[in-house]
Amino acid sequence: MNKSSLFSWLLACLTLLTGYSTLAQTDLSKPVPFDPNTKKGTLPNGMTYYIRKNSEPKNRAQLLLATRVGSVLETDDENGLAHFTEHMAFNGTKKFPKNELVSFLQANGIKFGDDLNAFTSFDQTIYMLPVPTDSAAIFRRAFDVLEDWAHNQLMEEDEINKERGVILEELRGGKGAQQRMRDKYFPIIMNGSQYGKRNIIGTEDILKNFKPETIRTFYKTWYRPDLEAIIAVGDFDVAAVEKIIKEQFGAIPAAAGAKPRPDYEIPAHSDTKVSIVTDEEQPNTIIQTLYKHPKLIEKTLADTRQLVARTLFNSMLQNRLQDMTKTADPPFQFAFSNMGGFLGKYDAFQSFVVAKTGALEKGLKAVLDENARVQKFGFTATELDRAKQQLLTSTEKRFKEKDKTNSQQLAFEYVNNFVNGTSSMGIDAYYDFVKTALPAITLTDVNNVATQYITKDNRAVIVMGPEKDQTTMPSEAQLLGWIDNAGKDVTAYVDEVVTAPLLAKLPTGGKVATKKSIAELGVTELTLSNGLRVVLKPTDFKNDEILISAYSPGGTSLYPMSDYYNADFSNMLAMQGGVAGFSSNQLRKYLTGKVVSVSPYVGELSEGFQGSTSPKDLPTALQLLYAYVTQPRRDPEVVKGYLGNERDGLVQQEATPEPQQVFYDTLSAVLGGYNPRRMPLKSSDIDKISLDPSLKIYNERFGNASDFTYFFVGNFSVDSITPLLEKYLGALPGTGKKEAYKDLGIRTPKGKITKTIYRGIADKAQAQLVFSGDLPYTPENRVNLEALKEILNIKFIEEIREKESGVYFIGSQAEAQKQPAQQYKFSVGYGTNPGRVDELATKAMAIIEGIKQNGPDPKDLAKFKAESRRQLEVRMRENRYWIGALARSYELGEDPRLIMKGLSLIDGVSVASTKAMAQKVFGPNLIKVVLLPEVSSK
């Protein structure tokens, strides 16, 4: 019995053993149940509420105001005002005038932009407010914020006028090839629908000139209880929260004479809507086909079963397309096909192809042929078995983590329930349903998805390409011919079934040579008999997660420039081949149904692994690690295809360079002193890469286990994991040799340097100011550098975004490094009107100079401390935080016990220490790189 058949047999047995839960005994006509762990209700005024107790993260809650209000509800003279209303929620409400709201929340540890945020789309506007629950006063005050957003925005004229500039800059930042092409094709494929007449952010004319009363009317018309929901998920008492909601939000008056909220249609059409657009800044050719259908709303369990069948369909179809990239000549750069949500009351089957140079027909035909192959012949039983395995495993993982699910994830599940009508039955019921439904879902059920949704009506086709290729673009008739004739010569798919074990022979293994513990951290350190070091931290943060990391000093720094590209691509070329007797496609199939992700990396100063697994699949993860080290597989054909696609992508980029890519490539080159290793990768560089020299370097980098340190963080015990580590990691070959990286001497240039790039036709600019220099790599310096960054971000938002209305985004980034030299970079980046680049740079420098001279405002320092403490308290209960902190400590030769000093280091930051850091950081070394538009060639 092969693996797939065994899975089907076991799943059927499992279903029978559950007694009364067979699908035949499930009444699929029953309505989808609502999660019994969530309290859902409707207030007399029509407002909906969802309340759920959830303790991850502890002492925190996610509060949201969800509205069924988006840009589709705007009239022509209101275009953009749904989004503008979202902005105004932060610019003055009844209980928080002017900018008091942002300041109040920052003072209580809630960061604007990261935590406190909102977004608007066609059919919804959602406001997010993560708050602490260990302060009853702050938690209670947060409901005042939600209430004000819901019906008490002030919409003062002076605040509206200030915000115009911010949103105009947001509009400016979105200009470019994608926006220009979308403006052309979107109305066509929407077939006259209201959706095709809206672009969410609006037009420059309306944003500049609308009267304040217009947005006030929009707000009053649509922000009303029957179109709003309060969502509260977190570590709190449900009854107490429900009482607050009923009393506070129940007092909001119901809308009198409310205007009905329309559901806009996308008019049906029997023809195919075709849009072929080009742009002088579009680097490659992309083609997309859409088949629009009424949305499947989960009302009954039969609907849920159909959506499960869709999930299986999408998984199998995408796996086939992924297989196509693992050939000597892939037909496309990238492609996908799937059935899913679209807009409003509509779903769509969509196919998307990024074409290779001169191969649009070939790429499109490959995807359409595969769609047609499924229509003609369907999937195979073994494909379906693997898809079922994968779905069952992913659902089981969610079930195992049900008490460790993040509150934000649950909150957005309720958002989708309120806005889109998607089900929210809870993971307990869904897991039971999936276990019950999967055995009875047949190939016919899944194949019917293609028959039902790949149709000839309500079809649209979009082609986007470089303007230089305009004369060679296909005509509408050609496109329709390719689509209508797809699949005529296809034959049935043959599935390559994998039955062999990953390792033909299991290794003998080694033994633990030494063992020590770091009790303060709950960490155990093992040294195996081959010299390999393992750092273990068992946690209870997740039930079904173990994170893996490994490093060894060296990396590409040990190789001359003549070998640089072979070294830099060595890990990718090794992965293209798979491991042992498994090709990369076979390996993917083998890992189906397992929670295993392991990949090697080769950086400049080190090489190693990153990965994750579940406790039950840890043996497979370790086998895969062992195989990547000892049995990388050589596959010249797949590598040829991979490198060919890499080269072709670069050729396209070089022919039509994207302005922002040129900006960041230039910035990297300038900061790296134009060292060849800091220059952008060119298509000609791909020709310097050869498989065998690259695999030789890979084997050199990973062939000596005694130079590696591995980290495991997650749900395991030291006693249970040790025998597995001995068996697999202990069997890796070790020479006993210790290596060190080579300092290549690449440093950020000193002095003042200004570089201006003229690229692009959109009326927008981008700037980056970068300070650099030497800085001892101490915990105190790092935390003060972080404080300086966050305090400046507060000031930049207040002064340059809000008061000057000069930018949509401005922010600083700080980086301290110990290797290869103890240095720092501090950058300030922003986008703006080309005519204001220097003006805003001067204003940013004035803010910086003020902190250098006087230190930060104590209120801003207090905000930094509150935000940082809150964030660190949450992060210290995350596996990813610990594996990163431990790996960094060991790689840099620091005492890992310093990890526990984070809160005390934050407390130690002062006005004086931040001022002193500003005086160190903002010195004579300043690089300024600016992107300005060029004159259009048209």
Side-chain angles (χ1 to χ4, degrees):
M1 186 180 290
N2 65 38
K3 258 181 187 302
S4 295
S5 299
L6 178 63
F7 167 77
S8 297
W9 179 79
L10 288 173
L11 191 56
C13 290
L14 174 64
T15 304
L16 291 172
L17 289 172
T18 59
Y20 297 104
S21 60
T22 61
L23 188 63
Q25 294 166 326
T26 300
D27 183 356
L28 294 177
S29 67
K30 284 186 175 180
V32 176
F34 188 77
D35 185 357
N37 296 309
T38 303
K39 185 172 282 292
K40 179 182 179 183
T42 304
L43 300 174
N45 58 14
M47 182 177 284
T48 305
Y49 65 86
Y50 301 79
I51 310 171
R52 170 73 175 265
K53 181 172 178 60
N54 189 63
S55 58
E56 288 297 332
K58 295 184 185 301
N59 299 320
R60 299 290 185 276
Q62 282 283 338
L63 304 182
L64 288 85
L65 171 68
T67 77
R68 288 198 286 258
V69 181
S71 62
V72 76
L73 298 180
E74 300 162 349
T75 61
D76 288 347
D77 62 348
E78 293 172 337
N79 191 10
L81 298 195
H83 172 255
F84 207 116
T85 299
E86 171 216 313
H87 275 243
M88 292 307 299
F90 302 92
N91 283 40
T93 64
K94 183 177 179 180
K95 295 173 184 172
F96 301 92
K98 304 296 181 182
N99 290 312
E100 286 182 19
L101 172 60
V102 173
S103 182
F104 164 75
L105 294 171
Q106 287 174 331
N108 288 286
I110 301 162
K111 185 184 288 190
F112 180 60
D114 290 351
D115 303 323
L116 172 69
N117 215 326
F119 67 86
T120 303
S121 63
F122 286 105
D123 287 293
Q124 62 186 326
T125 303
I126 311 298
Y127 299 86
M128 298 162 281
L129 180 58
V131 294
T133 59
D134 51 359
S135 167
I138 297 171
F139 182 58
R140 182 62 187 83
R141 189 75 164 134
F143 288 93
D144 292 340
V145 177
L146 293 184
E147 186 199 351
D148 272 8
W149 284 342
H151 76 131
N152 280 331
Q153 292 189 36
L154 295 180
M155 298 283 185
E156 295 174 334
E157 185 167 357
D158 60 334
E159 293 295 327
I160 290 171
N161 290 334
K162 283 198 302 183
E163 201 64 21
R164 291 181 197 269
V166 174
I167 298 178
L168 284 165
E169 288 305 321
E170 185 178 0
L171 174 67
R172 185 192 306 279
K175 290 181 178 179
Q178 293 301 310
Q179 164 261 317
R180 291 189 293 268
M181 291 188 295
R182 180 200 175 281
D183 288 350
K184 294 176 182 177
Y185 72 71
F186 200 65
I188 294 172
I189 67 172
M190 289 295 101
N191 194 30
S193 167
Q194 176 80 348
Y195 289 101
K197 301 172 185 176
R198 298 291 170 258
N199 64 353
I200 299 176
I201 197 167
T203 67
E204 189 170 335
D205 178 59
I206 289 176
L207 292 174
K208 283 181 176 178
N209 299 309
F210 75 84
K211 297 185 185 316
E213 194 54 41
T214 305
I215 193 171
R216 292 172 190 149
T217 300
F218 180 87
Y219 179 67
K220 183 178 179 181
T221 301
W222 298 117
Y223 274 65
R224 61 191 201 221
D226 60 302
L227 297 180
E228 296 173 327
I230 299 298
I231 299 169
V233 183
D235 195 6
F236 50 61
D237 178 75
V238 170
V241 170
E242 185 175 32
K243 185 173 185 290
I244 293 170
I245 290 174
K246 285 183 173 180
E247 291 177 354
Q248 185 162 355
F249 295 89
I252 299 174
K259 183 177 181 179
R261 198 264 192 222
D263 287 324
Y264 287 101
E265 303 286 337
I266 300 176
H269 51 95
S270 58
D271 61 334
T272 300
K273 301 299 178 185
V274 178
S275 182
I276 303 169
V277 295
T278 60
D279 192 273
E280 59 187 274
E281 292 179 0
Q282 173 66 14
N284 50 19
T285 301
I286 297 170
I287 185 165
Q288 184 176 2
T289 60
L290 300 99
Y291 306 77
K292 295 163 283 188
H293 299 276
K295 180 183 280 296
L296 173 60
I297 302 293
E298 278 184 274
K299 295 180 179 178
T300 68
L301 292 174
D303 298 326
T304 304
R305 185 178 186 270
Q306 190 172 346
L307 287 172
V308 169
R310 273 194 198 178
T311 300
L312 299 172
F313 171 89
N314 289 339
S315 173
M316 290 185 282
L317 183 53
Q318 193 55 39
N319 283 338
R320 286 191 182 184
L321 296 179
Q322 188 176 342
D323 284 352
M324 291 184 191
T325 64
K326 304 298 183 182
T327 63
D329 184 21
F332 41 68
Q333 287 276 355
F334 170 78
F336 76 79
S337 287
N338 82 338
M339 182 65 204
F342 185 49
L343 281 175
K345 300 188 299 181
Y346 297 88
D347 289 335
F349 177 79
Q350 302 187 57
S351 292
F352 182 92
V353 182
V354 179
K356 296 168 71 170
T357 302
L360 172 60
E361 181 182 3
K362 178 181 178 181
L364 177 62
K365 186 176 186 299
V367 175
L368 295 179
D369 280 354
E370 205 55 52
N371 295 344
R373 194 190 317 276
V374 172
Q375 282 184 300
K376 281 188 175 183
F377 303 104
F379 293 103
T380 67
T382 49
E383 285 181 292
L384 180 58
D385 281 346
R386 284 197 304 273
K388 288 181 176 181
Q389 282 180 306
Q390 191 62 43
L391 178 57
L392 184 62
T393 298
S394 62
T395 307
E396 181 183 43
K397 184 174 179 63
R398 286 175 53 203
F399 175 75
K400 288 179 177 179
E401 298 289 8
K402 65 179 181 178
D403 62 327
K404 303 295 174 67
T405 303
N406 190 280
S407 292
Q408 185 180 64
Q409 181 179 333
L410 292 170
F412 272 93
E413 183 178 313
Y414 308 139
V415 168
N416 288 326
N417 178 262
F418 176 71
V419 174
N420 303 313
T422 55
S423 75
S424 182
M425 66 172 69
I427 187 57
D428 294 270
Y430 185 70
Y431 181 45
D432 284 344
F433 183 83
V434 168
K435 286 190 298 182
T436 302
L438 277 181
I441 292 178
T442 66
L443 280 170
T444 300
D445 294 326
V446 178
N447 295 338
N448 281 342
V449 175
T451 304
Q452 183 178 358
Y453 293 116
I454 305 177
T455 59
K456 288 194 174 183
D457 59 340
N458 292 320
R459 188 171 66 181
V461 187
I462 308 157
V463 180
M464 296 168 278
E467 192 163 297
K468 65 180 180 59
D469 296 342
Q470 190 173 30
T471 57
T472 60
M473 282 287 172
S475 66
E476 181 174 325
Q478 281 179 301
L479 272 176
L480 294 178
W482 295 346
I483 295 170
D484 290 336
N485 291 306
K488 287 195 171 180
D489 301 320
V490 297
T491 56
Y493 179 82
V494 178
D495 189 26
E496 187 178 4
V497 179
V498 181
T499 58
L502 183 59
L503 299 178
K505 181 181 178 182
L506 295 180
T508 302
K511 291 295 181 183
V512 172
T514 64
K515 178 179 180 178
K516 70 176 186 180
S517 64
I518 307 175
E520 303 95 314
L521 302 180
V523 164
T524 299
E525 185 182 310
L526 307 177
T527 303
L528 304 183
S529 50
N530 56 2
L532 183 148
R533 181 170 56 178
V534 185
V535 178
L536 305 171
K537 181 173 174 58
T539 71
D540 61 359
F541 307 151
K542 288 285 187 180
N543 299 325
D544 200 42
E545 179 179 85
I546 299 174
L547 300 186
I548 304 168
S549 182
Y551 81 90
S552 169
T556 62
S557 70
L558 301 182
Y559 296 89
M561 194 61 209
S562 57
D563 280 334
Y564 170 67
Y565 297 107
N566 280 321
D568 197 38
F569 275 75
S570 59
N571 62 305
M572 292 304 301
L573 267 55
M575 290 180 69
Q576 296 304 310
V579 294
F582 288 69
S583 68
S584 55
N585 283 338
Q586 291 170 330
L587 181 61
R588 177 178 51 77
K589 292 177 181 180
Y590 175 83
L591 294 175
T592 298
K594 300 178 176 66
V595 183
V596 174
S597 174
V598 173
S599 57
Y601 74 86
V602 176
E604 185 165 275
L605 304 181
S606 66
E607 59 279 331
F609 288 96
Q610 300 290 343
S612 63
T613 186
S614 66
K616 73 178 177 64
D617 291 321
L618 179 60
T620 301
L622 290 170
Q623 288 179 17
L624 186 56
L625 280 168
Y626 178 84
Y628 268 130
V629 173
T630 63
Q631 301 173 47
R633 182 177 175 276
R634 185 179 183 276
D635 194 328
E637 293 298 293
V638 173
V639 167
K640 178 182 176 183
Y642 167 76
L643 291 177
N645 266 8
E646 289 289 309
R647 182 188 300 106
D648 186 63
L650 291 166
V651 166
Q652 293 176 350
Q653 182 64 47
E654 289 161 1
T656 311
E658 295 175 287
Q660 281 208 315
Q661 188 63 52
V662 174
F663 174 76
Y664 286 113
D665 285 347
T666 304
L667 181 64
S668 175
V670 173
L671 293 176
Y674 293 93
N675 186 285
R677 297 178 193 239
R678 296 292 183 272
M679 298 300 288
L681 187 69
K682 302 188 295 294
S683 57
S684 58
D685 295 328
I686 301 298
D687 298 327
K688 301 170 185 175
I689 301 170
S690 298
L691 176 57
D692 288 335
S694 190
L695 284 182
K696 178 177 180 293
I697 291 172
Y698 176 86
N699 288 325
E700 290 171 355
R701 292 298 84 230
F702 290 92
N704 175 23
S706 53
D707 204 28
F708 272 82
T709 301
Y710 279 76
F711 302 85
F712 293 82
V713 176
N715 186 14
F716 60 83
S717 70
V718 174
D719 289 343
S720 66
I721 200 174
T722 298
L724 291 170
L725 300 175
E726 289 178 322
K727 185 173 186 65
Y728 295 107
L729 299 188
L732 296 174
T735 65
K737 179 184 176 183
K738 300 292 183 182
E739 284 187 313
Y741 64 83
K742 179 181 178 181
D743 185 350
L744 299 169
I746 302 173
R747 303 288 188 270
T748 305
K750 294 184 178 181
K752 284 186 166 51
I753 299 172
T754 298
K755 178 76 174 178
T756 303
I757 306 148
Y758 296 93
R759 183 77 63 171
I761 60 174
D763 183 33
K764 63 179 183 179
Q766 192 166 349
Q768 198 89 5
L769 313 176
V770 184
F771 297 86
S772 63
D774 298 326
L775 184 72
Y777 191 82
T778 66
E780 292 76 16
N781 277 345
R782 296 201 301 271
V783 74
N784 276 285
L785 194 65
E786 181 72 11
L788 184 59
K789 178 194 82 172
E790 294 299 335
I791 289 166
L792 275 173
N793 284 340
I794 291 170
K795 277 292 175 233
F796 288 150
I797 290 172
E798 288 178 356
E799 300 294 329
I800 296 180
R801 173 176 156 139
E802 297 302 328
K803 289 185 180 178
E804 292 290 334
S805 297
V807 299
Y808 171 65
F809 171 80
I810 182 169
S812 56
Q813 293 293 325
E815 172 193 356
Q817 67 175 36
K818 187 176 184 179
Q819 298 173 345
Q822 299 188 58
Q823 293 191 314
Y824 75 91
K825 290 191 187 76
F826 196 107
S827 63
V828 178
Y830 58 93
T832 190
N833 182 325
R836 299 194 70 184
V837 170
D838 290 337
E839 173 200 347
L840 296 185
T842 300
K843 291 183 185 298
M845 292 297 293
I847 293 170
I848 288 170
E849 190 62 30
I851 293 180
K852 279 180 67 175
Q853 297 299 321
N854 308 310
D857 185 327
K859 291 181 181 178
D860 292 338
L861 179 60
K863 291 175 183 178
F864 158 74
K865 289 188 174 185
E867 291 173 356
S868 299
R869 287 187 65 88
R870 295 285 185 193
Q871 288 181 332
L872 186 56
E873 287 166 359
V874 172
R875 292 174 63 205
M876 288 190 76
R877 287 195 52 79
E878 296 174 343
N879 289 330
R880 65 179 180 268
Y881 170 78
W882 276 100
I883 201 161
L886 286 169
R888 186 167 53 250
S889 295
Y890 277 81
E891 190 166 0
L892 298 179
E894 295 186 329
D895 184 349
R897 294 174 182 84
L898 291 173
I899 296 170
M900 300 302 294
K901 291 185 62 178
L903 291 174
S904 64
L905 285 168
I906 292 168
D907 289 340
V909 177
S910 66
V911 169
S913 68
T914 312
K915 176 181 176 182
M917 179 56 64
Q919 292 173 342
K920 291 178 188 176
V921 166
F922 300 120
N925 300 328
L926 173 59
I927 292 173
K928 179 181 178 182
V929 178
V930 177
L931 173 67
L932 294 174
E934 59 187 338
V935 177
S936 172
S937 60
K938 301 183 79 64

